[in-house]
Amino acid sequence: MVKAYLRYEPALTFGVITSPESNVCYDPSGRLLLAAALDRLAAWDLKRGLPSVSFAPSSSSPSLAVSCIASSLSAAVSSSIASGHADGSIRLWDAETGACEATLHGHRSASSALRFAPSGTVLASGSKDCDVILWDVVAQAGLFRLRGHRDQVTDLVFLDSGKKLVSCSKDKFIRVWDLETQHCLQIVGGHRSEIWSMDVDPSERFLVSGSADPEMRVFRIRQSVEEGEDWSKWDVLKLFGEIPRQSKERVATIRFNRNGSLVACQVAGKTAYIYRVLDETEAIRKAKRRMHRKKEKASAKSMIAEGNGSVIDPLPASDLQNPAVIVTDVFKLLQVLRASKKICSISFSPSNPPRGCLATLSLSLNNNTLETYSVDSEKVSKIYSIEMHGHRSDIRNVSLNSEDNLLMSTSHNAVKIWNPSTGDCLRTIESGYGLCSAFVGNRFALVGTKSGTLEIIDIASGSLTEVIEAHAGSIRSIIPIPDEDGTAGARGFVTGSADHDVKFWEYQQVQKSANDSKQLTVTNMRTLKMTEDVLAVSISPQGKHIAVALLDCNVKVYHMDTLKHFLNLYGHKLPVLCMDISSDGALIVTGSADKNLKIWGMDFGDCHRSIFAHSDSVMDVKFVYRTHYIFSVGKDRTVKYWDADKFELLLTLEGHHAEVWCLTISSRGDFIVTGSHDRSIRRWDRTEEQLFIEEEKEKRLEETFEADLDNDIEYRYGQKDDAPEEGSVGVPGRKTKETVTAADAIMDALDTAEEELKRLNQHKLEEQNNGRAAKFQPNVIMQGQSPSDYVLNVVSSIRPNDLEQALLALPFSDALKLMSYLKEWSMVPSKVELVCRVCLVLLQTHHNQLTTTPAARSVLTELKDILYSRVKECKDTIGFNLAAMDHIKELLAMRSDAPFRDAKTKLMEIRQELSKRSDRPDGNERRKKKKKKASGES
């Protein structure tokens, strides 16, 4: 019989608050801050410091890392949040439920910029492939592709109520696109280095762009054709001036606040500069003051010149009365925000700021932290910070307690205790750079640090109770010493260090004072001197043998009681970084920097098999308890599952986005936990689904073939010189496995329907000739549908974003068959839009062949007459419904409790009435005053 194994699946990911590769932005409500956490999003409630909604894709992969986020402030559509990913895909999310509503494929490389139009129904995306794609959010399909940039598109901005789009790129140019005519209106140069960000104020007066230049460039936006005589006929942007910057670092992000009174410029460092944007009246007043100071200086110079006998021309009177406003009159540096770590992204809150503040600004830092500041005219003060839910740097070690209900992770400055079932952080304890750790029961924990100290932690109180100078070098391993019955850590533990020592320790309980409970301390009992740095230590489950991995690539095995040498395991070409002994003591597995796993017998030290396990160094390896199954992790970002008896790879688990440093396995083997350089902790659960070795081998071969196919279909990064200078328009989608599958499904449906029609015609002929025929047996595949309905259902089931590419893949013969069904489908009111899309794509693709094919002319003539009338009927229906909704809105507005009534005016009236009442004295007070007055008169 073929042996079956149980599959492990990703179950939980935690420890990441924000990814440095993506930006942050607020959700449509303005209450929650959206931050990317590797391949998923989280909406954080800043006041509570907790995630409210999680947005996770169906599968986890490093290629799905979120690279940019955008949200729409319009309530027109439910898909108000969009995320761009490293594979070029774009996902649309429901802001309330966190469900993924659509996945859009169009870019060939990572998405780098996203922006919603003011209406919320159109989304613009830019990518490293140099293209800009416009998407219909409602139809969940691409509109068109704009080509013209020669390098990565870094930012996008809509103008003129979404009719124009401005894009900036690393090619040092800004392009203005007319979305109605789909062409480039203007190319703006002037920057001497790559443009990284830009933004426009809400009133569309100014556009500010930033690069590595020592100044930001400010452009005026033409509001109408008649404005200004010196405007070119087609120019939309005109240089207004340059704002000098104080920092030498490049600009990373530029963003205006909600009302356009502030603009923040974040540089690629720890600083963000906040500028005040003055309105026209204030700017003119400032310009007059500037000219007045200039006049005073000029008059002072003229007096000095008269004394010397020379003459200086006075300033023109027109300049003094109507001074020209320059960029420094409008933009004034207000505050400089200096963060503790490098800032990755900034975002202004769209909601109303607290009383006395001008705006609320949120930051994401590269140390896995979110911070929020209130900005006023005097200072910038921090009001919220989210940092408890993750480490500040990569995770070096993870370990579980004996009951598998507590998880400990170590990093460069802290130890965190987690609930592995929910991912909640229970304790955070400051510590040194922890390289290894172990639980002592459920109350205490040990941490070995890079500096050679051994730290004892009280988990219940979350405090560091004692720091012991255990070694002169970094401690690489802490291994509990098991009892004879296999109970780990009951007697003591062993530490291995880079100072060539392996030390044996015993526990002791000490009563520090009468009030304090007993505290744990340890005592060094024995020391085993080695000739090289100790990289890893492992003890057999019965406590009979101890294995020590050294820097000279050898592993030495000693008897535990006498410390006499037992075995010498050599064969690795590079140092052994990790190892483990099976629970029955029969096998030992070693993982090395030479990318190999070696499985040895503990009886004679013979090498059973050497396996090329990972494409980079093997960082940790563990046996599943009471089995010979192995889990290994490496710098190649993968987790692999092995059978040490058959020497077969069972499963490859992908999900981490950087090197995987460590892993731990539960005592029952029902889940494993891994820690990575990407600061994430992932839990993988064992399921009831069976897997077979041969099936997994076939899957891996298919994935390799499909990956090669994808690379052959399209190049990864766009060619920089394939588009003309003035730009061009292309098809928005791209060929993927889904579009190829959809095209195959359409062709299969057409063939099935054609066969069914032939059988129907043959049955009718037999019935006419014989007068009587057997009952017709329909095709079971069609599920009782007519041929036309069957093909319609197949076409309707294709995702809107994949439909165009699927139709492009159809040969002309199948396209002609498909067009023959369009007349019948157009009679279905709900399918008119689909029929128009199919007809348009087929006409554009096969125009020359259709016009020269006699059989197609009759079909085209019929469709021309039918489609115009059907589209007009749909348009009239939509217009009638919109008019009816406006009428209902007016009827509701006439009622006092109407939800559409402007509640602000009513609220102000109520407040004024209440304030008047509070100012008036009540009846009792009036009577008291009258009594006092009467008694005074008497």
Side-chain angles (χ1 to χ4, degrees), residues 392-453:
R392 305 283 74 78
S393 65
D394 54 339
I395 293 158
R396 301 298 307 197
N397 185 262
V398 289
S399 56
L400 287 163
N401 67 341
S402 57
E403 298 176 3
D404 299 331
N405 58 2
L406 291 177
L407 172 71
M408 177 167 54
S409 61
T410 65
S411 184
H412 81 293
N413 65 350
V415 173
K416 286 184 179 288
I417 308 297
W418 309 82
N419 182 343
S421 301
T422 61
D424 295 333
C425 181
L426 306 177
R427 295 281 189 277
T428 301
I429 305 107
E430 291 185 3
S431 71
Y433 197 133
L435 297 179
C436 52
S437 62
F439 278 93
V440 182
N442 290 328
R443 184 176 173 186
F444 298 101
L446 303 169
V447 176
T449 67
K450 195 174 183 178
S451 60
T453 59

Side-chain angles (χ1 to χ4, degrees), residues 160 201 203-206 220-227 231 236:
D160 194 11
D201 66 322
S203 59
E204 296 188 4
R205 292 166 56 210
F206 304 107
R220 277 193 180 277
I221 302 169
R222 180 164 62 174
Q223 302 291 344
S224 63
V225 180
E226 293 80 12
E227 180 185 339
W231 286 81
V236 178

